[in-house]
Amino acid sequence: QQYTPSMLINANASEVVAAFTTQVKWATADQIPTAPGNGAYQFASNGGIALTWLAGQNAVAYDVYRLIADQDQQFQLLITVKGTSYVDNSPEARQNVQSTKGITYAIFSVGPTGIENPGGIVIPLNIL
């Protein structure tokens, strides 16, 4: 939320009190996944991009993000997968794989409580 105060001539001073609440998820050590390892890519025969990585300990899934340098301001979540591979067959991937700035993927482990490890791996496509 945004609050933009307005200035009024001869306005009386007032006090604004704001309270924020949030839920805290507690997790045991075995519920926190380690980051995946050794990310790699290959070009699939259909023009897609096949990504692979090594499993992170305690991970039950992986969030796959993509950044297309000419289009995106930040990484975009593509999909959550249970295995250690994903093929990006999207038209965006096929159209931009040969661009000079290229595509970068990031993979993050997700634990059994839905906690995502903040230390992921980055897989840049080095085409040129």
Side-chain angles (χ1 to χ4, degrees):
Q1 296 229 357
Q2 270 187 313
Y3 172 71
T4 307
S6 60
M7 298 298 289
L8 302 173
I9 298 175
N10 297 326
N12 294 328
S14 63
E15 185 177 312
V16 175
V17 176
F20 300 93
T21 60
T22 186
Q23 289 185 337
V24 176
K25 277 188 177 179
W26 293 101
T28 60
D30 64 340
Q31 294 173 323
I32 301 171
T34 62
N38 294 345
Y41 72 89
Q42 288 183 212
F43 296 109
S45 60
N46 64 359
I49 301 162
L51 305 170
T52 58
W53 57 90
L54 294 179
Q57 186 178 359
N58 301 325
V60 296
Y62 300 89
D63 287 340
V64 179
Y65 294 84
R66 179 184 67 204
L67 173 74
I68 299 174
D70 292 339
Q71 291 180 189
D72 301 322
Q73 297 290 322
Q74 61 188 16
F75 279 91
Q76 306 294 316
L77 177 63
L78 288 181
I79 192 167
T80 300
V81 297
K82 294 196 183 260
T84 57
S85 65
Y86 171 70
V87 179
D88 186 357
N89 287 315
S90 68
E92 295 84 8
R94 291 181 189 171
Q95 291 168 0
N96 290 284
V97 72
Q98 298 296 333
S99 74
T100 57
K101 293 187 180 178
I103 299 175
T104 302
Y105 292 90
I107 315 295
F108 293 86
S109 298
V110 179
T113 61
I115 295 172
E116 184 181 88
N117 184 309
I121 56 170
V122 175
I123 305 173
L125 273 64
N126 300 319
I127 307 302
L128 302 175

